[in-house]
Amino acid sequence: MKGLEFTTGGESHGPSLSIIVRGIPAGLRLDLDRMNGEMTRRQHGYGRGGRMKIEQDRIEVTAGVRGGETLGSPIAMTVRNRDWENWKAAMDPWAVDEKEAENRRLVSPRPGHADLAGGQKYNRRDLRDVLERASARETAARVAAGAVAKELLYELGVKVSSATLSVGRVGDPNRPVTAKDMSEVDHESPLRAIDRTVEGAMVEEVDRAKLDGNTLGGVVAVVAEGLPVGLGSYVHWDEKLDGRLAQAVMSVHAVKAVSIGDGVTAAGLFGSEVHDPIVHQKSKGFSRPTNRAGGLEGGVTNGKEVVIRGYMKPISTLRRGLASVNLDTREPHRSQWERSDVTAIAACGVVCEAMVALVLASVMREKFGGDSMVEMKRNFEGYRGQLRGW
Ligand code: EPS
């Protein structure tokens, strides 16, 4: 059984972002307000640049839904770029004004960005052709796709949430993380910090970086609760769920490392300090009092919360610039600055949540199949009944 598939299209300053999600069964009721709530959450966060004051991301569904219920056909969505109005002359799909295009050309590539390698690969001398698609604006499309995946997961009793563990040097990236911590995160707070006592210091860290013309990364955690035992597989390398989640989170812009559970700290400890003991109670069956494995053993869910961390590098567009080369003269030149964020760590958590939700919804579809929600839920319930026999 195929799971969920999605694809996105769209340039950062083009007319809109397009999203197609394939594999959602018929008969899932979608809550558009809740889905748009995800879009709003991604736009929040201290340290964002001026663009977020222009955009008001809203999902427009154009296919696959009737009367608020999915039809089993591909779900097509659009998110408009309001900034397009300011970029038409340079970004029009058919008629580009040469002077405007020249004004918007990126002459000195940014170290850490896709600019140079992307230009060489696709043979685009105007690096705007690269940066427009490489831009993290695309994460709005991922959150729209993830919002659909989350609707399916809600229906199956699964919840995915996230928080910021650290920004630059402030916060503790290795602190234990549970779903309860996530439920206490204030999504309106400046950085969606898991520990409110350090949020003020995080804000100051962002202010310092901004004054310095610099940028910051950080670490986010994503937690999924309500998953049954047995998603993923230990028998094929590409079906191991930890590997699939890592790929999904690593694909988020500026994420350079991913860990599952206490993966990073565990590498420096003894086995006796790391592995979660197994206990059995007549009333509850098998369980583990700790969750250092982050809910995954052998690439398979074990019934505990799945805990993933994403490590985001500092954004590669710095107001102070970085050592680079002018593509026209081949002389040393500071990398160009254009309006950007100091940090997007608060948004990164929401985007990682979306990617995790998409993978989890996909493995649920692979395991429980069904063309309709009724059929899928029946299969899911049958499996849960089987597990109760253990
Ligand atoms: C981004 C640069 C900025 C960010 C953008 C990602 O855009 P602009 O160049 O238009 O100011 O605001 O993020 C978004 C637009 C968004 O929706 O998150 C980049 O270069 O990656």
Side-chain angles (χ1 to χ4, degrees):
M1 163 75 196
K2 264 195 173 173
L4 209 71
E5 291 174 343
F6 80 101
T7 194
T8 76
E11 276 64 48
S12 177
H13 304 98
S16 59
L17 305 170
S18 306
I19 306 103
I20 292 190
V21 180
R22 176 178 163 176
I24 295 285
L28 174 68
R29 183 146 282 282
L30 298 181
D31 182 337
L32 186 59
D33 287 342
R34 189 162 56 187
M35 288 164 62
N36 276 323
E38 296 292 323
M39 304 302 285
T40 306
R41 281 175 69 224
R42 193 200 68 93
Q43 288 201 268
H44 278 310
Y46 196 72
R48 302 303 304 272
R51 177 79 183 267
M52 286 305 98
K53 294 191 179 72
I54 299 172
E55 302 299 341
Q56 275 172 24
D57 294 338
R58 282 286 163 275
I59 295 170
E60 290 169 41
V61 175
T62 56
V65 180
R66 182 169 175 233
E69 265 191 27
T70 58
L71 302 175
S73 50
I75 297 171
M77 296 178 284
T78 299
V79 176
R80 296 199 186 277
N81 289 323
R82 287 168 59 127
D83 208 14
W84 157 246
E85 294 300 325
N86 309 315
W87 285 76
K88 260 184 195 158
M91 288 298 298
D92 191 276
W94 304 111
V96 169
D97 181 288
E98 269 179 39
K99 228 172 115 195
E100 266 302 300
E102 183 55 30
N103 286 344
R104 303 285 199 181
R105 194 158 68 93
L106 186 86
V107 183
S108 45
R110 293 160 294 177
H113 215 283
D115 301 340
L116 183 56
Q120 290 170 319
K121 177 176 166 63
Y122 286 93
N123 199 30
R124 306 307 294 177
R125 296 279 170 166
D126 181 350
L127 300 184
R128 176 146 304 279
D129 290 348
V130 177
L131 76 92
E132 281 291 329
R133 178 64 184 161
S135 161
R137 174 70 185 149
E138 194 252 349
T139 61
R142 306 237 201 149
V143 171
V148 176
K150 276 189 166 189
E151 291 294 301
L152 177 65
L153 293 175
Y154 281 131
E155 193 61 26
L156 302 169
V158 177
K159 195 174 164 211
V160 185
S161 44
S162 74
T164 303
L165 303 184
S166 64
V167 180
R169 295 156 302 181
V170 181
D172 177 6
N174 299 321
R175 59 161 283 154
V177 171
T178 64
K180 187 170 173 294
D181 298 324
M182 297 290 154
S183 67
E184 288 162 8
V185 171
D186 176 3
H187 295 284
E188 303 289 324
S189 77
L191 288 156
R192 303 182 55 249
I194 197 165
D195 179 357
R196 299 237 194 115
T197 64
V198 297
E199 190 139 13
M202 285 176 167
V203 166
E204 283 168 21
E205 181 88 332
V206 175
D207 287 342
R208 266 194 300 277
K210 186 174 183 180
L211 263 181
D212 190 36
N214 224 320
T215 56
L216 281 172
V219 181
V220 297
V222 180
V223 175
E225 52 188 311
L227 294 166
V229 173
L231 294 177
S233 175
Y234 60 91
V235 303
H236 297 299
W237 72 269
D238 55 345
E239 290 182 13
K240 284 180 175 262
L241 185 53
D242 42 8
R244 291 177 63 178
L245 288 167
Q247 200 243 325
V249 174
M250 188 77 104
S251 78
V252 174
H253 303 67
V255 171
K256 294 293 272 185
V258 180
S259 71
I260 308 276
D262 293 353
V264 168
T265 44
L269 299 173
F270 290 109
S272 56
E273 297 169 305
V274 169
H275 299 295
D276 303 309
I278 299 172
V279 295
H280 186 268
Q281 286 164 287
K282 235 182 167 180
S283 55
K284 289 188 187 161
F286 292 101
S287 66
R288 292 154 183 79
T290 55
N291 186 25
R292 300 179 200 118
L296 284 155
E297 290 171 298
V300 181
T301 52
N302 63 8
K304 299 291 282 187
E305 293 160 359
V306 167
V307 179
I308 303 144
R309 280 164 230 255
Y311 300 72
M312 187 190 204
K313 71 178 177 180
I315 284 171
S316 50
T317 312
L318 278 70
R319 189 159 44 78
R320 52 151 56 189
L322 290 166
S324 184
V325 170
N326 180 309
L327 280 194
D328 296 339
T329 65
R330 309 288 157 128
E331 296 293 327
H333 195 286
R334 299 295 282 177
S335 61
Q336 235 160 294
W337 183 75
E338 52 175 86
R339 180 188 65 189
S340 187
D341 311 316
V342 175
T343 186
I345 193 70
C348 183
V350 179
V351 179
C352 290
E353 248 180 67
M355 292 307 294
V356 167
L358 283 155
V359 172
L360 295 177
S362 189
V363 290
M364 292 290 260
R365 293 289 294 136
E366 289 159 33
K367 187 156 175 59
F368 302 113
D371 295 312
S372 66
M373 279 313 292
V374 170
E375 189 179 5
M376 186 181 184
K377 278 172 133 176
R378 191 168 58 227
N379 296 343
F380 184 34
E381 279 313 317
Y383 178 68
R384 285 217 282 220
Q386 174 192 314
L387 287 176
R388 280 194 286 274
W390 268 78

